[in-house]
Amino acid sequence: MGAALVKGQNGALEVDRVLVSVLTETTVDLSALLVTEAGQVRSDADFVFFNQPSAPGVSLRPGTPATLEVSLTDLPEGIAQLRAVLTLDDPTATFGRFEAAVATVADAAGAVLYEYRIEGLDSESVVIALELYRRNAQWKVRAVGQGYAGGFAALVTDHGVTVDEPADRAPSAPPQSGATSRFARSVEVFTVPGEAKLSLEKRAKLDLRKREVAKVLIDKDAFGIRARVVLVIDKTGSMNRQYRDQVVHRVVQRMIPVATQLDDDGTLEAYLYARFFVKLPDIEVEHGDEWAQTFLHLSGTHADIDYDGIGGRNDELPIMRDIIDSLRPGDRPTLVLFFTDGGFANKREIAALMREASRLPVFWQFIGLGLANYGLLRSLDEMADRVVDNAGFFALDDIDQVDDARLYARLLGEFPDWLRAARVAGILR
């Protein structure tokens, strides 16, 4: 028996060929969506199902259970993820009526590597069971268990597949716009393993925040997108009150849910900057409080980091340059959440960097903390000579007075628009 996965957990794949199958007590159709970093198929040819049983690197083998044979080395370079989808043969039935399905990933000889019991389903008729995804040069498997109450047509059109009219096994009603009603229990969310280590109170708060994040992404037709999420926090002297009152600590807690819904591993990449910058350890769900207490400081030495050496006045150029240099055309989307109290003095140089970055797969969401003069940040939307509009800005006089729904709506409102523009411009595949 292979390693048991729980929802949201991932594991490395050390073989080149795998077999994906699902055992159920009822009849289901197994299919696969081959998607780019932006969560979209390149064409309808990237959809493998009973009427189109093969694509480069993937073939659907009929039987009980049906099996996806996947050659990871033969998947096209532009494909970042393979999503294994289950559809009930009877579109009026729901997964909640049956025992939990069990998805397995085996090697070419049939030896089971991973097993995932898909529990917690209710009114869904379609579910994304597993996701095979490419992280740098390594392929991994992730237990997803994400249900679509809206059915087969809703799922495939969300991923860019053309559906002229419902297929025999799809719902008779056309997919709905807005997408919220496609999800069972109002909003389904991604879960990461570390959540199980949280107290009930913290887990409940996290779940509520994740649902608010998911609602925004659903409303903007961006749910299921996988992105690198980067948090940049100002550490200049003018931020003293924000650190003293632990406003910045609460910012971190409210950004963690964004990473759980966008990042493959649910982690948040973090930096502090002033005149210079420091890359901090990634923020994991279960260690958010401890991370904030350990790494959020204005001065002194903590965890072997010289905070005085980072400086006390701001210079955005080094941290922006470092992020831009980490990007390559064709990478998965990157969302930079940049918290600052302003003072961007190098306007010409920053504008040049933003124009350079507009050719790369990155969107910059700047957030102003406190009452300040934000200058250049307020004029980002009018900046000319960019391939796409790659930045947004809004100011929060007091972030603690903004509820989660409004915060995430403003935080994520422009990112899906950039995703669409970046696809049209060829920045994202």
Side-chain angles (χ1 to χ4, degrees):
M1 179 181 294
L5 298 177
V6 298
K7 186 172 182 177
Q9 190 175 6
N10 60 57
L13 294 172
E14 306 292 348
V15 296
D16 293 334
R17 304 181 69 86
V18 295
L19 306 174
V20 178
S21 59
V22 183
L23 295 172
T24 63
E25 68 169 351
T26 187
T27 305
V28 298
D29 288 321
L30 178 62
S31 57
L33 291 158
L34 282 65
V35 299
T36 65
E37 290 283 12
Q40 298 285 294
V41 298
R42 301 169 304 172
S43 71
D44 290 357
D46 287 337
F47 178 36
V48 176
F49 66 118
F50 54 90
N51 278 340
Q52 185 172 271
S54 64
V58 186
S59 62
L60 177 61
R61 187 174 70 195
T64 306
T67 301
L68 291 167
E69 299 180 345
V70 184
S71 173
L72 299 172
T73 55
D74 291 330
L75 289 173
E77 183 178 347
I79 296 302
Q81 303 149 23
L82 181 152
R83 296 175 179 173
V85 178
L86 302 180
T87 309
L88 287 171
D89 190 59
D90 177 3
T92 65
T94 63
F95 278 100
R97 291 168 48 185
F98 306 103
E99 287 293 320
V102 178
T104 62
V105 179
D107 64 18
V112 175
L113 305 173
Y114 296 100
E115 183 176 279
Y116 169 42
R117 184 176 178 84
I118 311 172
E119 298 181 305
L121 298 177
D122 186 7
S123 60
E124 303 92 336
S125 60
V126 180
V127 64
I128 300 175
L130 293 170
E131 182 178 81
L132 309 183
Y133 65 96
R134 197 193 311 253
R135 190 66 176 265
N136 299 322
Q138 172 74 59
W139 279 96
K140 304 177 78 172
V141 58
R142 181 172 182 269
V144 179
Q146 178 66 51
Y148 266 63
F152 183 77
L155 181 141
V156 297
T157 53
D158 276 356
H159 287 81
V161 177
T162 302
V163 180
D164 295 325
E165 58 183 81
D168 291 343
R169 306 185 190 202
S172 57
Q176 303 176 32
S177 63
T180 301
S181 61
R182 294 173 183 168
F183 292 82
R185 296 190 297 273
S186 298
V187 179
E188 289 287 338
V189 296
F190 292 117
T191 302
V192 297
E195 294 179 29
K197 300 177 183 178
L198 296 174
S199 67
L200 291 177
E201 180 181 357
K202 289 182 179 179
R203 193 167 184 180
K205 181 177 288 187
L206 175 65
D207 187 66
L208 290 173
R209 286 175 169 168
K210 290 194 306 180
R211 290 178 183 277
E212 294 298 342
V213 172
K215 285 178 185 177
V216 177
L217 296 174
I218 291 167
D219 288 343
K220 301 287 286 187
D221 290 327
F223 191 83
I225 294 294
R226 291 289 178 267
R228 171 191 176 195
V229 185
V230 178
L231 176 64
V232 179
I233 303 176
D234 191 335
K235 190 215 72 72
T236 55
S238 57
M239 287 281 291
N240 178 65
R241 185 179 67 82
Q242 311 288 356
Y243 279 79
R244 182 196 66 210
D245 297 343
Q246 297 201 336
V247 173
V248 178
H249 295 61
R250 294 190 289 279
V251 164
V252 168
Q253 288 299 335
R254 296 177 80 174
M255 295 307 104
I256 288 173
V258 177
T260 67
Q261 301 308 293
L262 287 174
D263 187 83
D264 288 327
D265 296 327
T267 56
L268 188 56
E269 192 175 332
Y271 295 80
L272 289 184
Y273 90 95
R275 185 181 177 189
F276 306 104
F277 70 89
V278 60
K279 185 182 187 307
L280 300 172
D282 292 351
I283 307 170
E284 299 176 337
V285 169
E286 69 268 35
H287 301 307
D289 286 340
E290 297 89 338
W291 186 97
Q293 294 298 327
T294 302
F295 296 108
L296 292 179
H297 304 282
L298 287 177
S299 60
T301 299
H302 308 271
D304 296 325
I305 297 171
D306 178 7
Y307 285 76
D308 295 304
I310 303 172
R313 62 177 180 82
N314 60 310
D315 183 352
E316 290 73 25
L317 296 177
I319 178 60
M320 294 180 71
R321 177 79 267 165
D322 188 76
I323 293 173
I324 290 172
D325 287 346
S326 73
L327 302 166
R328 297 290 181 274
D331 283 353
R332 58 178 172 155
T334 292
L335 172 62
V336 180
L337 304 173
F338 202 114
F339 285 83
T340 177
D341 68 346
F344 282 37
N346 301 304
K347 296 181 179 180
R348 180 179 299 177
E349 294 87 347
I350 289 173
L353 284 180
M354 293 304 297
R355 293 187 180 100
E356 177 185 348
S358 72
R359 305 182 186 93
L360 296 168
V362 57
F363 182 81
W364 307 78
Q365 182 61 63
F366 295 95
I367 305 98
L369 287 179
L371 296 169
N373 178 14
Y374 296 107
L376 172 68
L377 293 178
R378 294 192 182 278
S379 61
L380 287 173
D381 286 338
E382 292 85 44
M383 189 179 295
D385 301 324
R386 288 178 295 167
V387 178
V388 293
D389 181 356
N390 61 338
F393 169 75
F394 63 93
L396 296 169
D397 293 343
D398 186 349
I399 193 172
D400 290 329
Q401 298 302 311
V402 180
D403 63 31
D404 291 327
R406 286 187 296 157
L407 177 62
Y408 295 133
R410 300 192 71 180
L411 196 76
L412 299 170
E414 294 188 54
F415 179 56
D417 298 332
W418 169 81
L419 287 170
R420 285 185 283 273
R423 289 189 200 111
V424 172
I427 295 168
L428 296 176
R429 296 173 180 171

